[in-house]
Amino acid sequence: MNILSPSILSADFWHLGSDIEQVQKAGAKYLHIDVMDGLFVPSISFAMPVISSMRKYTDIFFDVHLMIEKPERYIKEFAEAGADLITFHLEATEDADAVITSIRSFGKKVGITIKPGTPSEAVVPYLDKVDMVLIMTVEPGFGGQKLIPECVQKITDVRKWIEERGLNVDVEVDGGINLGNVQSIIDAGANVIVAGSAVFKDDIGANVKAFLREMNE
Ligand code: DX5
Ligand code: ZN
């Protein structure tokens, strides 16, 4: 069963609680939470206080995507705010192994991710230490961008390396995914799909159901 992780970056923050209830009711198992620091990426989003507020009211799986410099500084805070899985950028730290160990020490799942310009080979040394690899298909920083087709091969590469090693690692893809291209992303080897602007518009529940149909038929 492939998993949909709606990105609340595109939600209406006035109605955040009700937007989350709608995606969960429609069958989304994860919630993708984009944290941006204005340094690693040009934009700033939200962080711990928003996550801990949401945590009080929902048990949906919190898939936290850290787009921050030196993520090692804040792992404890994100773990305590209620993250279930913490994904960090390999480009943002000089000691990825230490970040992985830190996330594990709080009993959380570990994800690593790379920007479009970073070769897929960068994830190989960590494949047997993580729960998920996130392939970015847009430059991180903003929702609503177009998927970069050249990134799709990386999904296939990473899935192949995981299978060759007999590992149980999820492959998540984030950026520019919509109902028209999600099937090709699954076919390339992804099993966790992030979608922001394609979910949080018009009828949110209907969008989630349409994605899940496309992804699991
Ligand atoms: C971009 C974020 C994405 C973003 C995806 O930096 O990591 O999660 O919210 O939004 P869409 O699906 O609109 O490309
Ligand atoms: Zn993201």
Side-chain angles (χ1 to χ4, degrees):
M1 193 74 166
N2 298 311
I3 292 168
L4 181 67
S5 191
S7 168
I8 56 164
L9 192 61
S10 294
D12 179 340
F13 287 86
W14 181 254
H15 301 124
L16 184 57
S18 111
D19 282 12
I20 294 170
E21 280 169 359
Q22 289 180 66
V23 297
Q24 190 170 19
K25 190 159 165 261
K29 298 280 180 267
Y30 283 21
L31 199 65
H32 188 80
I33 299 173
D34 286 307
V35 178
M36 304 179 184
D37 67 352
L39 290 169
F40 183 74
V41 290
S43 192
I44 299 177
S45 57
F46 51 79
M48 297 71 126
V50 174
I51 298 174
S52 48
S53 291
M54 296 189 296
R55 186 78 292 172
K56 281 195 272 179
Y57 300 101
T58 178
D59 60 0
I60 196 169
F61 186 92
F62 280 1
D63 162 25
V64 175
H65 176 192
L66 296 183
M67 286 163 272
I68 66 173
E69 280 296 342
K70 298 196 177 22
E72 53 272 25
R73 295 174 297 157
Y74 293 111
I75 299 305
K76 179 170 189 278
E77 283 78 1
F78 285 105
E80 287 174 352
D84 292 297
L85 174 146
I86 300 177
T87 297
F88 67 95
H89 275 267
L90 292 181
E91 303 92 347
T93 180
E94 281 166 15
D95 194 349
D97 280 305
V99 183
I100 292 170
T101 304
S102 170
I103 298 171
R104 290 257 180 255
S105 76
F106 295 102
K108 305 301 178 183
K109 292 198 165 183
V110 179
I112 51 170
T113 184
I114 49 172
K115 298 205 264 188
T118 302
S120 47
E121 286 78 7
V123 306
V124 171
Y126 308 102
L127 284 180
D128 60 347
K129 303 172 187 166
V130 301
D131 300 292
M132 192 173 83
V133 175
L134 166 58
I135 301 294
M136 291 302 302
T137 41
V138 298
E139 278 304 333
F142 302 94
Q145 304 180 74
K146 261 179 102 76
L147 180 140
I148 303 168
E150 289 75 24
C151 296
V152 174
Q153 180 60 38
K154 292 163 127 184
I155 306 167
T156 307
D157 294 344
V158 171
R159 175 57 73 195
K160 182 175 128 243
W161 296 329
I162 290 167
E163 276 177 7
E164 282 170 359
R165 288 162 178 75
L167 298 168
N168 181 19
V169 175
D170 291 321
V171 179
E172 181 177 57
V173 180
D174 182 7
I177 303 183
N178 55 45
L179 281 173
N181 61 18
V182 66
Q183 189 65 65
S184 65
I185 300 300
I186 297 282
D187 290 345
N191 70 307
V192 183
I193 296 291
V194 178
S197 51
V199 164
F200 291 101
K201 61 167 189 193
D202 310 325
D203 185 337
I204 296 170
N207 295 334
V208 167
K209 286 184 188 150
F211 263 97
L212 291 173
R213 254 196 317 274
E214 278 292 312
M215 290 165 57
N216 288 306
E217 67 190 4

